[in-house]
């Protein structure tokens, strides 16, 4: 990995003594260690820390002054994480991600919100084996003690522009969205407190500077956000970059890919998710006067795609692992253990369970989740007097349906045997089952947030318009099984894609009734089965957050799905409810984009009135279909 030309130039021309520090960063790895998709049991060259390790090795071969950092959401997400919870960590072995990070020589890391998903016991056991500091400025136990150190200073020897060796003190702090207290309430309530990111980081940056840090870097497990976001906001990386004394920021959490100089302010890099990219911040630091210490002269932020690794001089994973014999053995062992873990049989399905069309019509994949939630919640609701007699709805969303996760992110389970990996594919997160008491108005507001997935379609335009806003995360597209309603996409959306901006619009939801045709009035009440993330307002679902939480189960929705499949008498045959449809717009042409593998389901496309446009030539591009509204 050669240095960018402007950085090389800066090193040669800056007045006084200079040095080049290359900060490499990963974020949102979500337990993707190897280039492998355990859901389909096939190799996937687009993901994996191991492939980023190739880039790290190439960078170290090209530059002497390298720092390697991780920005959180590392220990949860892929089946490897589930196997680690169930079998690997309890057996006393290192979490596979921690073992790999130790071997690759990570210098420091922070925590992400999903790192708390399996509870504090598992998180503490996993971090215990880390040979690098893990810091967070805004996470404390309720007794006031920091959960992990709030900051650290790394002393590194760097080679300067004259070939000499200089001692550099690098301050590191990090932070996680304070909303994790709500999202993981079943695990964290009464045990942990989470404070505002910006104020917590500001305090730690000042402390690092007073302790002699020459350079200060912030691992902000937070999206870019805006400069106007108020205290306690979820996405504030832009604000963090403006804090005096910050020299570089690694952003994350929203899985986006960005790299910007952010002037005025510190450079920011956000390297996607799952190991798709390696973030890089190049800093040219200068020392015009040895008594005044180092200062940043020039910066550049870049993302290197894992697909670039050969062009950048990286060696293949297998050859790289030869230099880490213990890691190679551990990786092979845990890889085999994970494949065996997720291969456990559950049952069978008589119909395909795919999510290629889930955002434009109810589907079998989400119906299985709805049915499993109904079955699991039935005895709990029967025992709860406050819910007796209320209509019961089941809120479900397609976790893998494109959006900002890209055109590869879809579920596609064929007819036949169902294994544990298929249940995990249908329901990615270990969210606990929850039941809310919601008003009719709350239900309407809930659906309006979901309906923000669609672009506004203008009926007076001749050219086909794009229907789907790919900035919207599909796991926030809830449909409430047990209802019937129409979505009018000719009207403006109630929120932006993130849900953090609410617009005053007339609304898109029409003809809202219960399944039996009874209109749902604003003052009516229903019971809604959902998950702990949504009940806490996750996805900016304010209606869910404002509702009364009547039940918090002691089991996850994913466990309920697995149990539903295994308890079924023969192959499952979900009867898909016609929950929602689009309001007719008189034959307006739109373009619906989905994953390219949707072409393998022509019957489903024809059933929905879709006509495939020119076939995409790469799985990294969305496949367009013509659609009439």
């Amino acid at each position: 990995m050669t240095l960018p030309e402007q950085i090389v130039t800066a090193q040669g021309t800056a007045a006084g003594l200079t040095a080049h520090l290359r900060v490499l960063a990963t974020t949102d790895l979500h337990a993707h260690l190897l280039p492998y998709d355990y859901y389909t049991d096939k190799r996937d060259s687009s993901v994996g820390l191991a492939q980023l390790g190739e880039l790290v090795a190439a960078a170290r071969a090209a530059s002497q002054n390298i720092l390697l950092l991780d920005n959180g959401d590392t220990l949860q997400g892929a089946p490897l994480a589930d196997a680690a919870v169930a079998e690997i960590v309890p057996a006393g072995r290192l979490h596979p991600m921690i073992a790999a990070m130790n071997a690759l020589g990570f210098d420091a890391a922070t925590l992400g919100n999903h790192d708390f998903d399996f509870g504090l016991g598992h998180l503490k056991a996993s971090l215990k084996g880390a040979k690098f500091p893990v810091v967070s400025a805004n996470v404390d136990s309720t007794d006031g003690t920091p959960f992990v150190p709030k900051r650290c200073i790394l002393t590194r020897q760097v080679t300067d522009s004259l070939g000499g060796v200089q001692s550099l003190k690098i301050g590191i702090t990090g932070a996680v969205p304070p909303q994790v207290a709500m999202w993981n309430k079943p695990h964290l309530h009464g045990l942990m407190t989470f404070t505002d990111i910006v104020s917590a980081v500001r305090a730690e940056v000042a402390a690092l500077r007073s302790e002699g840090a020459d350079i200060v870097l912030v691992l902000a497990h937070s999206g870019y956000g805006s400069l106007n976001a108020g205290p306690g906001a979820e996405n504030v990386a832009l604000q963090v970059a403006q804090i005096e004394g910050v020299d570089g920021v690694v952003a994350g959490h929203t899985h986006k890919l960005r790299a910007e100089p952010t002037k005025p302010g510190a450079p920011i890099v956000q390297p996607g998710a799952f190991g798709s990219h390696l973030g890089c911040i190049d800093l040219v630091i200068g020392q015009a006067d040895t008594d005044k210490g180092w200062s940043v002269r020039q910066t550049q932020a870049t993302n290197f795609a894992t697909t670039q690794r050969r062009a950048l001089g990286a060696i293949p994973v297998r050859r790289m692992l030869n230099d880490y014999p213990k890691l190679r053995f551990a990786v092979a062992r845990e890889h085999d253990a994970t494949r065996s873990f997720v291969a456990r049989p559950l049952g069978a399905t008589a119909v395909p369970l795919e999510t290629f069309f889930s955002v434009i019509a109810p589907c079998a994949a989400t119906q299985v989740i709805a049915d499993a939630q109904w079955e699991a919640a039935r005895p709990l609701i029967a025992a709860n007097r406050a819910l007796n007699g209320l209509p019961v709805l089941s809120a479900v969303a397609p976790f893998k349906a494109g959006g900002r996760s890209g055109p590869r992110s879809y579920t596609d389970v064929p007819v036949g045997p169902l294994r544990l990996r298929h249940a995990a594919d249908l329901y990615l997160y270990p969210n606990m089952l929850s039941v809310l008491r919601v008003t009719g108005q709350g239900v309407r507001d809930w659906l309006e947030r979901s309906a923000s997935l669609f672009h506004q379609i203008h009926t007076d335009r001749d050219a086909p318009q794009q229907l789907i806003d790919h900035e919207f995360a599909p796991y926030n597209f809830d449909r409430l099984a047990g209802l019937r309603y129409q979505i009018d996409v000719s009207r403006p959306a109630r929120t932006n894609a993130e849900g953090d901006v609410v617009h005053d619009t007339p609304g898109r939801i029409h003809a809202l009734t219960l399944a039996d045709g009874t209109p749902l009035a604003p003052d009516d009440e229903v019971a809604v089965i959902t998950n702990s993330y949504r009940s806490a307002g996750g996805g900016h679902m304010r209606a869910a957050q404002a509702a009364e939480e009547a039940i918090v189960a002691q089991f996850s929705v994913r466990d309920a799905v697995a149990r539903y499949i295994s308890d079924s008498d023969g192959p499952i045959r979900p009867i898909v409810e016609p929950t929602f449809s689009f309001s007719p717009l008189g034959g307006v042409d739109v373009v619906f984009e989905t994953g390219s593998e949707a072409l393998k389901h022509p019957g489903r496309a024809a059933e929905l009135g879709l006509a495939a446009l020119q076939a995409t030539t790469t799985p990294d591009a969305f496949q367009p279909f013509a659609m009439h509204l």
Side-chain angles (χ1 to χ4, degrees):
M1 295 172 66
T2 58
L3 305 185
E5 182 179 349
Q6 57 266 51
I7 292 294
V8 176
T9 301
Q11 278 192 286
T13 61
L17 195 63
T18 63
H20 167 241
L21 177 66
R22 171 160 276 193
V23 181
L24 303 179
T26 58
T27 193
D28 296 275
L29 292 169
H30 284 286
H32 287 81
L33 175 55
L34 293 173
Y36 201 83
D37 184 343
Y38 294 98
Y39 300 119
T40 60
D41 202 26
K42 297 177 181 178
R43 180 180 173 83
D44 182 356
S45 59
S46 67
V47 302
L49 173 61
Q51 294 188 137
L52 294 186
E54 300 177 33
L55 290 175
V56 172
R60 285 177 174 147
S63 178
Q64 295 174 308
N65 305 329
I66 295 290
L67 201 68
L68 180 59
L69 308 173
D70 180 71
N71 197 35
D73 271 9
T74 310
L75 306 178
Q76 179 280 336
L80 178 71
D82 301 321
V85 172
E87 298 180 351
I88 296 171
V89 174
R93 303 197 297 271
L94 277 178
H95 193 293
M97 296 300 290
I98 297 295
M101 293 167 72
N102 285 343
L104 292 174
F106 273 76
D107 292 282
T110 195
L111 299 171
N113 52 293
H114 283 294
D115 293 321
F116 293 90
D117 279 1
F118 297 117
L120 295 178
H122 175 71
L123 179 54
K124 289 177 180 177
S126 300
L127 296 180
K128 188 176 180 180
K131 295 181 179 179
F132 48 87
V134 178
V135 297
S136 187
N138 68 330
V139 183
D140 293 296
S141 300
T142 50
D143 64 5
T145 59
F147 179 68
V148 294
K150 292 182 177 292
R151 62 185 182 274
C152 67
I153 291 182
L154 308 175
T155 301
R156 295 292 185 266
Q157 305 303 309
V158 298
T159 303
D160 62 34
S161 53
L162 299 179
V165 177
Q166 302 290 330
S167 182
L168 187 68
K169 291 184 176 181
I170 305 167
I172 309 286
T173 189
V176 65
Q179 287 77 11
V180 69
M182 297 184 297
W183 299 336
N184 268 310
K185 184 178 178 180
H187 293 306
L188 303 176
H189 182 65
L191 300 174
M192 305 293 296
T193 60
F194 299 82
T195 55
D196 173 64
I197 291 177
V198 177
S199 58
V201 168
R202 182 179 289 111
E204 297 310 313
V205 170
L208 286 167
R209 289 295 185 181
S210 68
E211 292 166 2
D214 298 303
I215 300 296
V216 173
L217 305 171
V218 179
L219 300 173
H221 191 82
S222 179
Y224 268 52
S226 72
L227 294 176
N228 299 321
E234 176 181 348
N235 297 308
V236 292
L238 278 174
Q239 292 189 46
V240 170
Q242 303 299 313
I243 295 174
E244 184 178 356
V246 174
D247 295 305
V249 177
V250 181
H253 183 53
T254 56
H255 295 194
K256 294 185 177 181
L257 188 67
R258 298 178 71 169
E260 298 178 9
T262 319
K263 293 181 179 179
I268 308 178
V269 68
Q270 184 175 6
F274 308 148
S276 64
H277 290 75
L278 182 67
C280 177
I281 298 177
D282 287 295
L283 300 174
V284 172
I285 55 177
Q287 192 179 46
D289 188 325
T290 56
D291 293 332
K292 294 183 179 180
W294 297 91
S295 62
V296 174
R297 300 284 186 82
Q298 192 166 351
T299 68
Q300 178 168 297
T302 315
N303 279 307
F304 295 107
T306 185
T307 53
Q308 293 178 277
R309 58 192 188 280
R310 298 292 175 267
L312 294 168
I315 62 175
V317 170
R318 290 183 181 275
R319 284 177 54 195
M320 183 192 71
L321 288 177
N322 287 337
D323 295 332
Y324 308 98
K326 291 183 178 180
L327 176 63
R328 181 181 60 188
F329 170 77
V331 164
R333 176 182 61 185
E334 311 307 8
H335 171 64
D336 291 341
T338 302
R339 291 188 66 205
S340 297
F341 177 75
V342 298
R344 295 174 182 176
L346 293 178
T349 178
V351 298
L353 304 175
E354 47 78 20
T355 59
F356 294 110
F357 311 98
S358 298
V359 297
I360 61 168
C363 68
T366 53
Q367 190 66 48
V368 170
I369 300 171
D371 293 344
Q373 290 183 164
W374 264 316
E375 187 67 25
R378 183 177 293 114
L380 302 177
I381 293 174
N384 189 302
R385 291 184 178 181
L387 300 177
N388 285 350
L390 294 182
V392 180
L393 313 178
S394 190
V396 292
F399 286 96
K400 295 168 62 179
R404 66 192 188 196
S405 293
R408 291 176 177 265
S409 183
Y410 291 87
T411 292
D412 192 7
V413 179
V415 171
L418 289 176
R419 302 184 182 277
L420 187 59
R421 61 184 171 88
H422 296 124
D425 197 3
L426 288 167
Y427 206 98
L428 297 180
Y429 301 104
N431 301 324
M432 310 300 276
L433 184 136
S434 173
V435 182
L436 305 179
R437 186 175 180 131
V438 188
T439 66
Q441 184 60 52
V443 166
R444 183 177 292 276
D445 292 342
W446 191 320
L447 297 175
E448 288 290 353
R449 165 71 184 123
S450 294
S452 297
L453 176 141
F454 306 105
H455 286 300
Q456 183 178 6
I457 301 302
H458 300 274
T459 57
D460 57 351
R461 295 182 183 177
D462 294 330
Q465 301 164 65
Q466 291 289 339
L467 178 63
I468 304 299
D469 181 355
H470 293 304
E471 290 299 307
F472 190 103
Y475 58 75
N476 289 324
F477 182 70
D478 284 355
R479 72 175 175 100
L480 271 59
L483 293 178
R484 302 292 184 267
Y485 54 93
Q486 290 186 348
I487 303 172
D488 185 351
V489 293
S490 70
R491 295 191 171 190
R494 180 66 59 82
T495 74
N496 66 347
E498 296 291 346
D500 54 0
V501 177
V502 179
H503 305 294
D504 184 13
T505 72
R508 290 177 159 181
I509 303 302
H510 294 277
L512 176 61
T513 72
L514 297 175
D516 63 4
T518 303
L520 187 63
D523 293 333
D524 290 342
E525 288 192 322
V526 296
V528 180
I529 311 168
T530 183
N531 60 71
S532 53
Y533 172 77
R534 186 68 81 233
S535 66
H540 291 279
M541 196 68 73
R542 294 169 179 83
Q545 185 179 2
E548 174 191 343
E549 189 171 45
I551 296 173
V552 180
Q554 297 304 306
F555 55 84
S556 71
V557 176
R558 187 163 61 191
D559 287 342
V561 172
R563 186 166 58 249
Y564 176 79
I565 294 171
S566 63
D567 288 349
S568 294
D569 184 14
I572 59 173
R573 302 174 182 270
I575 299 174
V576 182
E577 283 196 14
T579 313
F580 72 89
S581 60
F582 293 104
S583 299
L585 300 183
V588 175
D589 293 328
V590 299
V591 176
F592 165 62
E593 292 184 323
T594 184
S596 61
E597 295 293 296
L599 295 172
K600 296 181 179 180
H601 298 273
R604 177 66 170 155
E607 175 188 324
L608 297 174
L610 303 177
L613 299 176
Q614 183 175 359
T616 181
T617 58
T618 169
D620 292 319
F622 284 104
Q623 168 62 44
F625 284 83
M627 182 177 176
H628 303 285
L629 296 177

